[in-house]
Amino acid sequence: MIVEQEDRRGALLGRVTAVHGSVIDVRFASGALPAINEAVAIEWDRGDPIIAEVQKHLDAHTVRAVALSNTAGLNRGVPARAMGVAISVPVGEAVLGRLLNSIGDPADRGPALPADIERRPIHAAAPEIHKLVGTLESFATGIKVIDLLAPLVKGGKAAMFGGAGVGKTVLIMELIRTTVERHAGISVFAGIGERSREGHELLLELRQSGVLERTALVFGQMNEPPGARWRAGLTALTMAEYFRDTARENVLLLIDNVYRLVQAGSEVSGLLGRLPSRVGYQPTLASEIAELEERIASVAGAAITSIQAVYVPADDFTDPAVAEIFSHLDSSIVLSRDMASEGMYPAVDPLASTSSLLDPRLVGETHYRIAQDVRKAIAHYRELREIIALLGIEELSAADRDTVKRARRLMRFLTQPFMVTVAFTGKSGRSVELEATLAGCRAILNGETDDWAESSLYMVGDLDEARRKEAQTTGAAS
């Protein structure tokens, strides 16, 4: 029998009996199996041990585990050691400014982490309900359309939904830069299933902008096994929880992309032999999302504010994974492919984006009223577009023509150049205070810009900048 009892440290020893891609079967002594979610180290002769997580007890002797690194070349009979705890990752100040993988090892070719660094298991319970602290404070981003129509809640969860190529990652990168500059605290970024190029670009951008020293990066990249992508989010969350609970720091947790975490869970579920559920997703879809989302919470004295990107497959917002993620959020920022195709960046849909904070009792009557008037004007313009396309704008009433004119100017005013896109657009980024956004929208709604060229309001900061741009345009024309 290929079973060993214990080593001199008291750890359970076993041997690999089967390898199915990322799934490994390990045989241990009867009655002494490692628990579900416990880590197992496969100690082969090809470098660092393979870390796997127990997911299933096949019988009284054998467990099935999911590897978090490549298993190519792994043979049966290789010794394995149960580690006695869940996968544990480094936490604390030493992880700031570093890029780590799903098991907490440096992936940035930098120096090794201190040998005595504190480690915490990635599996933990959500804070008890009596310890949670609700907040109604707005988390200002400096991005006009978000602060106006879908304000983020400090200590809340917000997500950006959009299909491929509509600007989710660029918006996440801009939020990292602006919020680190605006808000004292720590940023933790989880890159789940993203391209290696995007991770490299993000690292360079943060280093050049000088905010890397207050940011920890965790990546489970697209070319890594599903186990690594599946656990990258929990690794980043564990680091964020340390800064919240021990260091008492406010933390900004950014995740790009939550849908890739769901996809990785679906791959793992298939490898484990579970029957698929609705639309082919794993039967544990709801619990896997809840395991991550319910731990993102605020306690007395410190908060974790989370901003997440969510890929929407085939732009289908009724997809079960997308619908399940929606149910955990305070703010939903929906990115529109139609707006992106028109060059309206950020391509945030002003009608589909929502926030629980957008209430007159919370943001004030002025903010609420202006936001509603902006939405009403844009909604009416969209209703009239088909008539305009068929008959022309001249067939509309005078009131409708004014609405169309102002809605088009509002949509252009809500565009904004980003700091992270200077190399592509040649325009320096803008960060706009909420008061300036409200003043600009109020002026447009009141008709003060009806005679301006629409281009004067496109890709500017506040209304004063647009006014200067209009003056230059008028002067050049004359």
Side-chain angles (χ1 to χ4, degrees):
M1 181 182 292
I2 51 170
V3 174
E4 299 175 53
Q5 295 290 335
E6 294 183 349
D7 66 4
R8 60 178 178 272
R9 293 164 292 184
L12 293 174
L13 293 179
R15 289 191 181 274
V16 173
T17 60
V19 182
H20 312 279
S22 295
V23 172
I24 303 168
D25 292 350
V26 183
R27 188 176 178 88
F28 291 92
S30 177
L33 296 181
I36 300 296
N37 288 337
E38 188 174 320
V40 174
I42 315 295
E43 298 176 330
W44 63 345
D45 57 359
R46 297 198 178 195
D48 294 335
I50 295 173
I51 304 299
E53 185 178 270
V54 175
Q55 287 297 312
K56 203 173 188 179
H57 290 173
L58 296 180
D59 54 40
H61 304 277
T62 313
V63 300
R64 179 161 288 172
V66 175
L68 272 70
S69 56
N70 198 336
T71 60
L74 179 62
N75 302 318
R76 289 182 296 176
V78 172
R81 175 170 50 88
M83 302 179 71
V85 294
I87 293 169
S88 297
V89 296
V91 295
E93 293 287 333
V95 303
L96 295 178
R98 303 301 302 272
L99 189 152
L100 309 172
N101 62 18
S102 298
I103 57 175
D105 292 338
D108 55 3
R109 299 181 183 177
L113 295 172
D116 59 347
I117 191 170
E118 182 181 348
R119 290 180 172 267
R120 290 192 175 183
I122 64 172
H123 294 283
E128 296 176 14
I129 194 166
H130 68 273
K131 294 182 179 178
L132 299 179
V133 176
T135 177
L136 301 176
E137 186 180 347
S138 176
F139 186 88
T141 65
I143 298 173
K144 290 181 288 188
V145 65
I146 294 177
D147 289 344
L148 174 68
L149 299 175
L152 307 187
V153 183
K154 188 174 183 180
K157 295 185 281 282
M160 293 174 293
F161 295 86
V166 295
K168 296 185 299 299
T169 299
V170 170
L171 193 50
I172 279 275
M173 290 172 65
E174 181 71 9
L175 283 167
I176 292 177
R177 180 162 183 160
T178 58
T179 52
V180 168
E181 292 173 355
R182 281 171 159 261
H183 302 272
I186 301 294
S187 291
V188 180
F189 179 88
I192 304 174
E194 293 303 295
R195 302 168 186 85
S196 302
R197 170 186 59 79
E198 291 177 339
H200 181 65
E201 288 176 356
L202 177 63
L203 185 64
L204 290 178
E205 172 65 33
L206 295 180
R207 187 173 285 147
Q208 291 168 3
S209 61
V211 299
L212 184 62
E213 291 74 18
R214 301 291 287 168
T215 305
L217 304 173
V218 178
F219 270 85
Q221 295 177 164
M222 186 179 285
N223 61 337
E224 295 190 65
R229 290 178 269 125
W230 193 38
R231 292 310 186 208
L234 294 184
T235 298
L237 180 55
T238 302
M239 296 176 184
E241 286 174 330
Y242 170 86
F243 290 112
R244 179 194 66 189
D245 299 334
T246 303
R248 312 304 291 176
E249 296 253 24
N250 290 322
V251 184
L252 176 65
L253 175 63
L254 300 117
I255 306 176
D256 186 10
N257 183 305
V258 179
Y259 184 78
R260 302 298 182 197
L261 183 147
V262 173
Q263 279 189 315
S266 181
E267 292 177 52
V268 168
S269 182
L271 290 168
L272 293 172
R274 295 174 183 152
L275 289 174
S277 183
R278 197 157 50 118
V279 197
Y281 285 110
Q282 60 270 41
T284 53
L285 172 66
S287 60
E288 286 180 13
I289 293 174
E291 183 183 9
L292 176 75
E293 300 287 358
E294 292 303 307
R295 286 170 60 184
I296 302 172
S298 301
V299 298
I304 295 180
T305 302
S306 177
I307 302 172
Q308 308 165 15
V310 182
Y311 168 69
V312 180
D315 293 338
D316 178 15
F317 285 87
T318 64
D319 184 89
V322 176
E324 188 62 39
I325 295 167
F326 257 118
S327 66
H328 290 274
L329 303 175
D330 300 296
S331 303
S332 302
I333 300 166
V334 178
L335 300 180
S336 163
R337 187 171 302 281
D338 289 341
M339 292 186 66
S341 66
E342 294 174 13
M344 301 293 182
Y345 290 106
V348 176
D349 190 326
L351 304 185
S353 301
T354 61
S355 171
S356 61
L357 198 63
L358 195 59
D359 184 293
R361 295 166 297 178
L362 304 179
V363 297
E365 187 66 37
T366 301
H367 181 172
Y368 177 77
R369 181 51 50 202
I370 291 175
Q372 292 303 100
D373 288 346
V374 167
R375 279 200 174 125
K376 183 179 178 182
I378 293 173
H380 192 44
Y381 164 58
R382 288 184 177 178
E383 291 171 358
L384 295 171
R385 278 197 298 191
E386 190 172 340
I387 296 174
I388 295 169
L390 290 172
L391 303 176
I393 196 170
E394 295 79 12
E395 298 301 316
L396 300 179
S397 66
D400 282 349
R401 284 201 297 273
D402 286 342
T403 298
V404 168
K405 189 183 299 183
R406 291 164 191 174
R408 288 178 61 86
R409 282 160 175 76
L410 282 168
M411 292 172 68
R412 280 151 182 77
F413 180 66
L414 292 177
T415 62
Q416 187 170 341
F418 283 170
M419 298 177 189
V420 297
T421 59
V422 174
F424 307 104
T425 64
K427 296 182 179 180
S428 58
R430 303 286 188 276
S431 181
V432 184
E433 298 296 331
L434 176 61
E435 291 74 17
T437 301
L438 295 175
C441 291
R442 186 191 296 113
I444 295 170
L445 289 166
N446 290 339
E448 295 179 24
T449 64
D450 285 359
D451 297 329
W452 293 13
E454 291 181 1
S455 59
S456 297
L457 293 155
Y458 178 68
M459 284 293 171
V460 296
D462 56 18
L463 195 65
D464 289 339
E465 183 181 351
R467 188 175 284 110
R468 291 193 296 271
K469 192 174 177 182
E470 171 65 16
Q472 292 172 0
T473 304
T474 306
S478 60

